[in-house]
Amino acid sequence: AAGAGRAGGPRRADGHRRAMMPSRESNSELYRDKVILAPMVRAGTLPLRLLALSCGADLVYGEELIDLKVRNAVRVQNRKLGTIDWVLAKKNNEVVFRTCKEERGRFIFQLGTSSGPGALEAVGRPGGIALSGDVAGIDVNMGCPKGFR
């Protein structure tokens, strides 16, 4: 459904096409009768996510990562660990986020942001997390009282 509005969706009053969004019913199907590891500060790392999946979780959330940090991360394959790492090349390849094939299609990336454009720049850019195939979805958190540093 993403992008469906571009091809021939209904037009808004200003003439721009309106993006077609899934209905509430189809959205709720994604979560109906599922066992989900909820987002937890400093706990939703890869080892806990894999443990939750091995214990029967259908979906797992990662810890919240701030858009300012994610924006500069690049995707690298870590052959030694068998993971995909998103690293900050300018910070000695500091790992921002790590995933692996065992959680593909079942991992929800949680993004903290103070603006829609900032979120889009962080994950929606060419080569970004949203387009990588590494995550099943992105949860945008714009209401957390946590400071953005």
Side-chain angles (χ1 to χ4, degrees):
R6 284 188 221 125
R11 291 188 181 269
R12 299 185 317 209
D14 64 6
H16 290 92
R17 294 199 185 277
R18 189 172 359 146
M20 302 300 290
M21 299 301 292
S23 69
R24 282 188 178 269
E25 292 76 27
S26 63
N27 258 348
S28 65
E29 288 298 317
L30 180 63
Y31 296 99
R32 183 171 285 134
D33 299 322
K34 300 286 195 245
V35 175
I36 301 170
L37 173 67
M40 293 181 285
V41 175
R42 291 185 296 277
T45 58
L46 182 59
L48 180 62
R49 296 191 316 256
L50 291 175
L51 177 62
L53 290 169
S54 73
C55 290
D58 297 299
L59 293 172
V60 293
Y61 279 72
E63 57 189 333
E64 179 182 7
L65 296 172
I66 304 304
D67 62 356
L68 298 173
K69 192 168 195 177
V70 174
R71 181 178 302 155
N72 296 313
V74 293
R75 184 181 193 269
V76 296
Q77 189 169 9
N78 184 327
R79 294 187 195 287
K80 188 173 185 178
L81 297 178
T83 60
I84 298 297
D85 296 348
W86 287 82
V87 302
L88 297 175
K90 292 182 180 179
K91 290 196 173 186
N92 203 26
N93 288 333
E94 173 189 334
V95 176
V96 173
F97 157 64
R98 177 172 281 153
T99 187
C100 64
K101 65 181 177 185
E102 289 83 6
E103 64 177 3
R104 180 157 290 174
R106 302 187 292 167
F107 173 69
I108 308 296
F109 185 86
Q110 187 183 182
L111 180 71
T113 186
S114 61
S115 76
L120 185 59
E121 186 179 337
V123 297
R125 62 185 164 79
I129 290 170
L131 305 175
S132 68
D134 294 334
V135 301
I138 296 177
D139 175 44
V140 177
N141 186 341
M142 294 180 84
C144 184
K146 181 177 167 183
F148 290 88
R149 302 177 232 158

